[in-house]
Amino acid sequence: MINPKFHEGITRRVLALGLVVVLAAGPALAQSVAEVAAYDGPDRMERLVAGAKKEGTLTLYTATPVDDVNQVIAAFTAKYGIPVTLWRGSSEDVLRRAVTEIKGGRHDVDVIETNGPELEALHRENILQAVDSPVFSEIFPDAVPDHREWVGSRLNVITASYNTELVSEADVPKRWDDLLDPRWGGKIGIESEAYDWLATVIQSFPSREEGLAFFRKLAETNRPPLHKGHPQLANMTASGELPITLQVYLYRVHQMEQDGAPIKALSLGPAIARINGLGVARTTAHPNAAILYQQFTLTEGQKILASRHFTPTNTKEVPFPAGMEVKVIEPTGMLDALTEWRETFETTFQ
């Protein structure tokens, strides 16, 4: 989750230094990338493939777990013969590294893949290149910003979960108020930086005031412990350290269930989803390979992501599960209100 103080610091440094650095990158390179990104002729794919093979390589910075992203990379390389150099970090690490390197004149990265708010921050720092692609019309509308400098490739659906050995079917909470039962005192894990989750889930309550009042009451009565990281929460649920957790990734719950872990998703209202996507760096030295990889992820890569239990955004390639109710965290609004919701979250739970 993007740290608001980090983003504010980046913005100040960009205002002081960024213009000179971006101009120093060279107009010829920027024009070349823009031309490749804007081309929409009937031979678009043929030109991308030919150009990508000439470029011969690609560097990807990603926040996607290595085991999952490697499935997409392997299929891409097998089809086009283009090796991919991978660097993986947290969403904030990806943002920090991309901004620091590019503003410093180092242009290794070609494609940046991370959460929507971090991608929107990269857009604001003038890091990403707008791309015209016919496949965007097939993507879940909330996952395609108007500027088209990045596009969502999947939804990170955030759900509650419970340990099936510690919570009987009769005791499984069915609604938010059930979490106020004293039996769950100190036993409901919460992600320590779930600012955007809190902001979005409160929208499912009749009013903001009622939503905030509920979570304040939950904090006062049952004192849920805070833990860093959605994967950590899922592991703690499966291992029995916590019988219930409120913010785990649905794909990870399904993966662990498939491996025999005693964990199940818990529905207390609409599932909250973060958009995760990818954008092409303006300074890429491999524009054809970068745009081809983005295209592959949004088409053939969607079935690969689905096989890993992700929720793809290309509804033509992989339709949404029947009856799935999702409330998407809006990246632009969340980025603007992040400091406010960080303070609200910390006041409520800490």
Side-chain angles (χ1 to χ4, degrees):
M1 179 62 198
I2 184 172
N3 185 312
K5 293 182 180 178
F6 167 71
H7 181 255
E8 290 163 6
I10 285 288
T11 300
R12 286 194 296 272
R13 290 195 292 276
V14 169
L15 289 173
L17 302 172
L19 181 59
V20 174
V21 173
V22 171
L23 289 176
L29 175 61
Q31 184 180 21
S32 173
V33 175
E35 286 177 350
V36 175
Y39 185 74
D40 62 356
D43 60 341
R44 177 177 182 270
M45 281 301 297
E46 290 81 357
R47 288 175 59 154
L48 284 176
V49 172
K53 289 185 175 180
K54 283 184 181 179
E55 292 162 359
T57 190
L58 172 71
T59 296
L60 170 68
Y61 290 178
T62 185
T64 303
V66 171
D67 289 347
D68 301 307
V69 73
N70 273 341
Q71 299 291 317
V72 178
I73 289 172
F76 174 79
T77 300
K79 180 167 185 175
Y80 296 113
I82 299 167
V84 178
T85 299
L86 177 68
W87 183 86
R88 195 266 173 186
S90 70
S91 57
E92 187 166 278
D93 287 341
V94 169
L95 171 62
R96 181 184 294 110
R97 179 166 179 155
V99 171
T100 301
E101 288 185 353
I102 290 174
K103 297 300 181 183
R106 180 177 171 183
H107 304 142
D108 293 346
V109 65
D110 300 301
V111 178
I112 304 166
E113 182 178 58
T114 186
N115 291 333
E118 281 78 5
L119 287 165
E120 193 60 25
L122 290 168
H123 154 68
R124 295 183 182 189
E125 305 294 0
N126 203 34
I127 295 294
L128 302 176
Q129 172 64 50
V131 176
D132 291 327
S133 173
V135 77
F136 287 0
S137 64
E138 301 172 3
I139 303 299
F140 181 65
D142 289 347
V144 185
D146 291 339
H147 54 67
R148 298 195 168 199
E149 290 186 10
W150 60 269
V151 59
S153 56
R154 59 183 170 88
L155 297 181
N156 263 345
V157 179
I158 302 171
T159 183
S161 69
Y162 68 98
N163 183 293
T164 57
E165 294 177 350
L166 299 178
V167 183
S168 68
E169 284 300 314
D171 293 334
V172 172
K174 303 294 191 300
R175 55 197 182 95
W176 289 111
D177 283 349
D178 293 343
L179 299 179
L180 300 176
D181 191 313
R183 78 176 71 191
W184 306 126
K187 297 179 181 178
I188 301 172
I190 288 182
E191 210 284 324
S192 61
E193 295 180 356
Y195 320 135
D196 54 355
W197 174 88
L198 181 65
T200 307
V201 79
I202 279 177
Q203 296 174 22
S204 67
F205 283 75
S207 70
R208 172 179 168 135
E209 291 70 26
E210 289 181 64
L212 286 171
F214 167 79
F215 284 107
R216 289 180 185 129
K217 188 172 183 180
L218 176 65
E220 291 168 4
T221 58
N222 282 343
R223 299 188 177 277
L226 303 184
H227 296 276
K228 172 73 171 173
H230 301 79
Q232 172 73 359
L233 281 183
N235 291 338
M236 295 179 79
T237 310
S239 68
E241 292 178 70
L242 288 168
I244 296 175
T245 51
L246 293 190
Q247 303 99 1
V248 297
Y249 291 133
L250 181 61
Y251 81 86
R252 187 61 187 137
V253 173
H254 289 328
Q255 287 177 349
M256 297 174 90
E257 271 191 287
Q258 186 172 294
D259 292 340
I263 185 173
K264 278 191 176 181
L266 174 60
S267 177
L268 297 170
I272 306 302
R274 274 194 197 129
I275 298 171
N276 184 288
L278 65 172
V280 174
R282 285 182 187 271
T283 52
T284 174
H286 311 107
N288 291 282
I291 294 169
L292 185 64
Y293 183 84
Q294 184 186 65
Q295 177 84 12
F296 182 85
T297 302
L298 297 173
T299 52
E300 295 170 62
Q302 296 285 279
K303 289 185 171 65
I304 298 172
L305 292 173
S307 74
R308 303 291 296 175
H309 301 289
F310 289 105
T311 303
T313 57
N314 188 327
T315 54
K316 181 179 178 181
E317 291 285 337
V318 183
F320 269 10
M324 184 176 184
E325 185 182 1
V326 175
K327 198 166 189 62
V328 175
I329 296 168
E330 202 283 304
T332 302
M334 194 62 241
L335 192 59
D336 292 334
L338 196 57
T339 299
E340 174 194 350
W341 279 105
R342 177 176 180 268
E343 292 172 354
T344 299
F345 181 93
E346 292 180 350
T347 299
T348 302
F349 291 109
Q350 296 181 4

